[in-house]
Amino acid sequence: MKVLGWIFAVFGVLNLIVGFIAAAKAPEVAGERIIFGITIGALGIFMISRAKKKEQEKEEQNRWNNQ
């Protein structure tokens, strides 16, 4: 899930950059690209955050079980 999150985050940032570049040439398409980039980027960041939280929960459970 962490790897997929990083892929989504990078893909979102790239779409955001393309959206800003497209704003100069085709403003009607730029809005869709920017919104898509923000959405995919946020999903990627959420997935990374959730994966880290699961790892922490697992470590805490292992520490609790080993005591």
Side-chain angles (χ1 to χ4, degrees):
M1 191 155 93
K2 196 178 217 181
V3 173
L4 188 60
W6 278 108
I7 291 170
F8 279 179
V10 169
F11 190 63
V13 169
L14 290 176
N15 267 307
L16 195 59
I17 292 169
V18 168
F20 286 130
I21 292 171
K25 294 184 180 182
E28 63 276 355
V29 179
E32 295 172 3
R33 290 278 186 197
I34 292 172
I35 297 297
F36 183 71
I38 291 171
T39 304
I40 294 298
L43 178 64
I45 292 169
F46 171 75
M47 291 176 76
I48 293 167
S49 169
R50 186 64 191 135
K52 285 183 181 181
K53 192 170 186 177
K54 278 187 176 184
E55 287 176 4
Q56 288 176 348
E57 289 173 357
K58 198 172 192 176
E59 286 178 13
E60 288 176 10
Q61 186 177 14
N62 286 340
R63 273 189 264 146
W64 179 260
N65 290 335
N66 290 335
Q67 286 183 357

